[in-house]
Amino acid sequence: AQSVTQPDIHITVSEGASLELRCNYSYGATPYLFWYVQSPGQGLQLLLKYFSGDTLVQGIKGFEAEFKRSQSSFNLRKPSVHWSDAAEYFCAAQTSYDKVIFGPGTSLSVIP
Amino acid sequence: DVKVTQSSRYLVKRTGEKVFLECVQDMDHENMFWYRQDPGLGLRLIYFSYDVKMKEKGDIPEGYSVSREKKERFSLILESASTNQTSMYLCASIQTRGVGNEQFFGPGTRLTVL
């Protein structure tokens, strides 16, 4: 069955530290992949997306993600986390026109 | 700037009540979606619509219905609210049907059914 997993339910990092959020997908082909962020009290906002081409994708707010076909992964990274990055992060995969599968989310806390 | 608004941020209803959740987008988008968000489950699609008066079931349509009378407005209806429908409800829209298009989300409605 098609699925998106995010192994880490909650991550805590110190401000200024690097960050990596993991995402794995299960699908026969390479789907369109997304990372969204949900700040407290807000809707989801697109950080970046990938379908083909360069496997390292740059997004907004200083985030990047790397697609690894061999591992069916699309991990999100940021070299230096800011307190304002504390939020819920969702990985998603689009497998057809109308089907976007969201992962369970990773909650990020940032220690000042 | 794109904008998706939802009629209420917080809503408390009683079991058996009929509940209406309203969503409006000002971007002239064709496609609109209703999701529910629960801890540990991510977002699950309830219904979507790719045109006025058109609707399609998502993954968890049971207990819900929708209405899209105008392009900019997509309503989610709980015919008879139950406690297991206590959740965060998110509305989203996409400009056109297709792959790779960004979904624009509203701020959500947190519904509690007592």
Side-chain angles (χ1 to χ4, degrees), chain B residues 5-72:
Chain B
T5 56
Q6 296 184 228
S7 51
S8 305
R9 295 298 298 271
Y10 300 92
L11 211 52
V12 180
K13 296 292 181 181
R14 298 211 172 269
T15 301
E17 279 192 78
K18 191 168 185 177
V19 181
F20 292 87
L21 303 183
E22 304 283 338
C23 174
V24 177
Q25 50 94 3
D26 65 358
M27 300 164 284
D28 201 34
H29 284 181
E30 294 178 3
N31 290 18
M32 297 186 75
F33 304 80
W34 274 107
Y35 293 93
R36 65 175 282 174
Q37 179 184 4
D38 299 289
L41 296 177
L43 278 69
R44 293 179 291 166
L45 183 64
I46 305 171
Y47 268 96
F48 66 97
S49 167
Y50 52 85
D51 202 352
V52 175
K53 298 193 184 294
M54 302 298 290
K55 60 184 180 184
E56 295 285 342
K57 292 180 180 179
D59 298 318
I60 52 165
E62 296 77 21
Y64 304 94
S65 63
V66 290
S67 172
R68 194 169 182 199
E69 296 296 319
K70 293 184 178 181
K71 189 175 185 179
E72 66 271 16

Side-chain angles (χ1 to χ4, degrees), chain A residues 6 9 32-34 36 38 40-47 49 51 88 90 92 94-105, chain B residues 9 31 33 35 37-45 48 50 56 59 88 90 94 97-108:
Chain A
Q6 295 178 245
I9 296 172
Y32 231 108
L33 295 164
F34 305 82
Y36 284 87
Q38 184 181 34
Q42 309 276 332
L44 278 69
Q45 180 185 20
L46 180 68
L47 286 175
K49 63 183 179 182
F51 179 65
E88 187 95 19
F90 292 93
Q94 184 172 14
T95 57
S96 68
Y97 271 10
D98 303 312
K99 186 77 171 177
V100 177
I101 303 168
F102 286 84
Chain B
R9 295 298 298 271
N31 290 18
F33 304 80
Y35 293 93
Q37 179 184 4
D38 299 289
L41 296 177
L43 278 69
R44 293 179 291 166
L45 183 64
F48 66 97
Y50 52 85
E56 295 285 342
D59 298 318
M88 170 72 89
L90 293 170
I94 291 180
R97 201 172 178 209
V99 291
N101 294 323
E102 176 182 359
Q103 292 193 49
F104 292 89
F105 285 85

Side-chain angles (χ1 to χ4, degrees), chain A residues 19-89:
Chain A
L19 172 70
E20 182 169 30
L21 302 182
R22 296 182 291 165
C23 171
N24 294 94
Y25 65 90
S26 173
Y27 183 59
T30 300
Y32 231 108
L33 295 164
F34 305 82
W35 274 101
Y36 284 87
V37 61
Q38 184 181 34
S39 299
Q42 309 276 332
L44 278 69
Q45 180 185 20
L46 180 68
L47 286 175
L48 46 77
K49 63 183 179 182
Y50 171 82
F51 179 65
S52 64
D54 192 344
T55 57
L56 188 62
V57 182
Q58 301 299 318
I60 63 171
K61 302 178 188 272
F63 284 91
E64 65 180 26
E66 185 172 16
F67 170 70
K68 292 186 178 180
R69 185 188 307 275
S70 61
Q71 298 176 18
S72 297
S73 69
F74 188 54
N75 293 350
L76 183 71
R77 301 196 294 243
K78 187 169 185 179
S80 178
V81 171
H82 188 262
W83 64 266
S84 61
D85 293 323
E88 187 95 19
Y89 291 81

